[in-house]
Amino acid sequence: MAQAIAVARDGKRGRTSTAPTPADGDAQDGDRQFVTALARGLQVLRAFRDAAEMLGNREIAARTGLPKPTVSRLTHTLLTLGYLVHGEDGERYGLGPAVLALSAAFLRQNSFPQMAKPYLQDLATAVQAHVALGVLDGLSSVYVQLWRGQGQRITLSSEVGYRLPLARSAMGMATLAGMDEAQRAPLLARLRRDSGAGWPQLERTFLRCAREIAEHGYCVGVGVWHPDVNAVAAPIHSPGARGAFALNVSGPAFLLTEEVLRGDTGPKLIAAIGRMRALGIVD
C-alpha cells in the first residue's frame, strides 16, 4: 500500500507519513510594514506537521529553507516564550503550550466546528472515510477538525494541523472556488508564479473544480494530492466565522473510486451540509 495510507485492524493502527510540505513562503518584497523576523518565527512553528512531532534545528532548517544559525536563534526565542518545548534528549523541540492557547482562541472565535461535529461524525461513519474541516492558511488548507468513521478500518496518516496545498488537493480547489474574486485573485497570482510551467494544468483543474461546485456543490479530486488517495470537497461558510473554510472527504482510491465519489460520497457530503444549513450552523 502507498505511503499515504495506514491500515488499522483489530484495534491496532500502523501509520506512515508522507514527505513534509514546505511552509508557505510569505516574503513580501517592498512591503515596509512586513516584519521578516516574525514571519521566520512563524515558519518555524509551521514546520511541525503533528502535535507530537519532535524536530531538531537541522530538520527545521531543511523544512523551512532558513539558515541553520537563524533557526537556532528562532528556536531559542520560541522556547523561551513557551511556543516550543525541549524533547527528552534536550536537542529536539516540540510544540509548546503557548501554541495550544492560540489554537483555543481560534476555536472560540470559530465555534461552528463544535456545532457541526455530530453531523460530520455521522457523515464519516456513513461513508467510512475521513471527513476534515480545513481553513485557508497561506497557500495551504490546514485541518482544524477531523472525523473518522466509527468502525473504520483503513485510515490515512493525517491529523489536526495537517496541511494540504491549495494547488494539489480537492480541499484547496474547493477553498479557492468558495472565495469571491477579490480574495481569490491574489492567491491565483501567487500560484501562477510559483507553479511556472505547471500553471496551465493547474488552471484547468481549478476551472473544472469551480464548474463542479457551481453545478453540484462539490468537486472531485482523483489522485490530485496522492495517486492512491481520492477526495471530494466543498466550500463551507458559517455566520461570523473567520477564514475561508472547506470540507473534505478522503480515503483510499481503491475504495473511494471516482464513481463512488460522484454517485455516493459527494451527494452525502452535500446532504450533511444541507442539514447544518437548515439549523443555521452554516450559510
Side-chain angles (χ1 to χ4, degrees), residues 236-280:
I236 190 169
H237 305 91
S238 180
R242 302 180 183 179
F245 291 87
L247 282 171
N248 185 69
V249 181
S250 59
F254 72 92
L255 291 177
L256 292 187
T257 63
E258 183 172 1
E259 181 180 10
V260 169
L261 291 174
R262 295 191 185 278
D264 182 72
T265 313
K268 285 179 178 176
L269 170 60
I270 296 305
I273 294 174
R275 287 192 289 272
M276 292 186 288
R277 183 175 293 118
L279 296 174

Side-chain angles (χ1 to χ4, degrees), residues 134-259:
V135 65
L136 176 70
D137 180 35
L139 293 182
S140 299
S141 288
V142 180
Y143 284 0
V144 294
Q145 292 285 347
L146 180 67
W147 297 268
R148 292 185 174 91
Q150 295 176 3
Q152 184 177 338
R153 298 173 67 84
I154 299 180
T155 66
L156 304 182
S157 57
S158 54
E159 301 290 347
V160 170
Y162 193 78
R163 304 177 72 86
L164 284 174
L166 291 183
R168 292 190 296 107
S169 65
M171 176 176 275
M173 294 290 105
T175 301
L176 288 169
M179 295 177 173
D180 60 39
E181 184 58 30
Q183 294 174 305
R184 183 168 53 239
L187 291 172
L188 288 178
R190 289 179 62 187
L191 291 172
R192 182 198 300 266
R193 180 196 66 200
D194 293 351
S195 58
W199 169 250
Q201 177 60 42
L202 172 57
E203 185 179 35
R204 286 192 294 272
T205 300
F206 168 69
L207 292 175
R208 173 185 63 79
C209 288
R211 285 194 302 270
E212 290 182 0
I213 287 172
E215 294 175 6
H216 309 294
Y218 62 85
C219 66
V220 168
V222 176
V224 175
W225 171 68
H226 189 282
D228 291 308
V229 177
N230 291 343
V232 62
I236 190 169
H237 305 91
S238 180
R242 302 180 183 179
F245 291 87
L247 282 171
N248 185 69
V249 181
S250 59
F254 72 92
L255 291 177
L256 292 187
T257 63
E258 183 172 1
E259 181 180 10

Side-chain angles (χ1 to χ4, degrees), residues 1 26 52 92 94 102 132 136 146 239:
M1 201 61 198
D26 284 327
R92 299 162 77 81
L102 288 177
L136 176 70
L146 180 67

